[in-house]
């Protein structure tokens, strides 16, 4: 019995130390100007603490309930980012503490975030999610929608959101040229918005693009934030 226990403990430690070497190796591949958001969805509190103890403080979750559950059990100085689709009726629960919402995919949602932020007495940093992939199912604005003249008025009316940039997800493909083209489109979309709406605003500077499989290409194409999970924690077990 004791023997078995020892084996399991060792296995566990083995796996945790892999994560430490993963994060150390990943850090050498990300320039200092690019922020790492450690994507901790589906990972346990122990796994997250392991990476926290390596010095990481910025974690990203894609589901509100999971984010709320984990936040309660983890240190207060973690900077939580929401990276997945947010339903308007769930915005209220995360606004008081969330550091950034990457996945704003409609003006209705942006308005809700604004009014909840007014109530919470804070200004919430947001990114506009742009649909850049060929796949149909992904959430986000189209580049055309954001090029609309009314966008400027809409955003300027919202006192308690700070639109800091854009976010996008490339197609899930091994075709690097396709992925590069999509990231390049996101950068063009960022540049156009910057010029049109945010030129004097120094806070409009983030391009959140790049995941485990494509972060190198994303950085080459101008990413300022990469969102990485599997490369740190290992492959996610499909539920
Ligand atoms: C899961 C997820 C990631 C990270 O994916 P990995 O392939 O594990 O690095 C990044 N961004 C979003 C929006 C995600 O949902």
């Amino acid at each position: 019995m004791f023997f078995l226990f020892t084996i399991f403990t060792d296995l566990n430690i083995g796996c945790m130390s892999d994560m430490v070497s993963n994060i150390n190796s990943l850090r050498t591949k990300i320039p200092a100007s690019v922020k790492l958001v450690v994507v901790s969805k589906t990972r346990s509190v122990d796994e997250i603490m392991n990476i926290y103890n390596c010095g990481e403080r910025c974690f990203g979750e894609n589901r509100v309930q999971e984010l709320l559950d984990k936040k309660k059990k983890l240190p207060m100085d973690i900077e939580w980012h929401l990276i997945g689709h947010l339903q308007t009726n769930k915005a209220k629960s995360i606004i008081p503490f969330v550091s950034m919402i990457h996945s704003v995919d409609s003006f209705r949602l942006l308005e809700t975030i604004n009014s909840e932020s007014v109530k919470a007495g804070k200004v919430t940093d947001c990114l506009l999610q742009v649909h850049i992939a060929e796949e149909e199912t992904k959430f986000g604005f189209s580049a055309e929608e954001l090029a609309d003249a009314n966008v400027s008025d809409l955003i300027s009316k919202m006192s308690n959101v700070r639109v800091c940039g854009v976010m996008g997800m490339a197609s899930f493909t091994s075709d690097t040229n396709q992925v590069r083209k999509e990231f390049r489109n996101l950068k063009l979309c960022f540049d156009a918005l910057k010029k049109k709406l945010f030129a004097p605003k120094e806070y409009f500077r983030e391009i959140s693009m790049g995941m485990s499989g494509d972060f190198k290409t994303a950085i080459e194409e101008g990413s300022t934030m990469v969102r990485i999970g599997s490369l740190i924690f290992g492959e996610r077990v499909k539920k």
Side-chain angles (χ1 to χ4, degrees):
M1 192 59 198
F2 177 72
F3 179 64
L4 267 180
F5 177 76
T6 315
I7 291 175
F8 283 126
T9 309
D10 283 353
L11 275 176
N12 196 28
I13 289 167
C15 149
M16 288 292 189
S17 73
D18 280 353
M19 283 181 212
V20 175
S21 61
N22 289 348
I23 187 86
N24 286 334
S25 133
L26 180 61
R27 280 170 176 163
T28 67
K29 296 171 189 139
I30 300 176
S33 57
V34 176
K35 184 171 172 117
L36 170 63
V37 180
V38 177
V39 176
S40 50
K41 66 187 185 196
T42 78
R43 314 299 176 169
S44 69
V45 164
D46 285 348
E47 287 173 302
I48 298 171
M49 270 317 288
N50 193 35
I51 298 304
Y52 176 92
N53 289 332
C54 294
E56 295 302 326
R57 291 294 179 271
C58 177
F59 291 84
E61 289 280 337
N62 68 336
R63 287 168 196 267
V64 168
Q65 195 52 53
E66 192 174 337
L67 173 54
L68 294 171
D69 291 344
K70 285 176 181 171
K71 182 194 153 47
K72 278 190 292 202
K73 299 174 187 150
L74 285 156
M76 290 289 289
D77 65 343
I78 289 182
E79 193 187 301
W80 290 105
H81 288 218
L82 186 79
I83 60 169
H85 178 64
L86 176 60
Q87 287 169 273
T88 49
N89 63 350
K90 293 197 176 151
K92 185 186 170 75
S93 59
I94 61 163
I95 294 299
F97 69 88
V98 78
S99 289
M100 183 174 267
I101 301 172
H102 290 231
S103 40
V104 176
D105 53 12
S106 71
F107 289 115
R108 192 169 87 93
L109 176 59
L110 194 64
E111 268 158 15
T112 304
I113 295 170
N114 186 56
S115 58
E116 291 300 336
S117 301
V118 170
K119 287 184 210 160
K122 75 172 279 206
V123 174
T124 303
D125 284 348
C126 294
L127 303 179
L128 302 176
Q129 183 171 352
V130 186
H131 179 104
I132 52 169
E134 278 192 330
E135 286 125 56
E136 287 290 324
T137 54
K138 299 212 169 127
F139 293 104
F141 293 99
S142 67
E144 294 75 40
E145 260 177 291
L146 293 180
D148 192 291
N150 295 324
V151 169
S152 176
D153 288 348
L154 272 169
I155 293 178
S156 63
K157 283 199 192 101
M158 300 187 208
S159 56
N160 288 52
V161 290
R162 210 161 65 135
V163 177
C164 299
V166 296
M167 180 272 230
M169 274 188 280
S171 296
F172 188 71
T173 167
S174 55
D175 180 355
T176 312
N177 288 330
Q178 175 67 25
V179 169
R180 188 178 296 283
K181 198 175 82 188
E182 293 171 1
F183 286 149
R184 207 162 274 181
N185 283 337
L186 185 59
K187 172 73 164 74
L188 288 173
C189 187
F190 170 88
D191 290 342
L193 277 171
K194 176 89 190 162
K195 196 167 156 207
K196 196 161 65 103
L197 304 176
F198 297 99
K201 309 272 202 285
E202 57 84 30
Y203 60 77
F204 190 85
R205 58 167 178 233
E206 306 296 352
I207 306 178
S208 169
M209 61 184 185
M211 316 191 351
S212 290
D214 56 20
F215 77 94
K216 284 184 194 145
T217 309
I219 291 171
E220 285 163 11
E221 297 302 330
S223 171
T224 65
M225 290 182 141
V226 289
R227 311 175 311 269
I228 298 182
S230 320
L231 268 186
I232 300 166
F233 295 104
E235 287 301 315
R236 268 182 303 278
V237 181
K238 295 258 172 6
K239 281 185 185 162

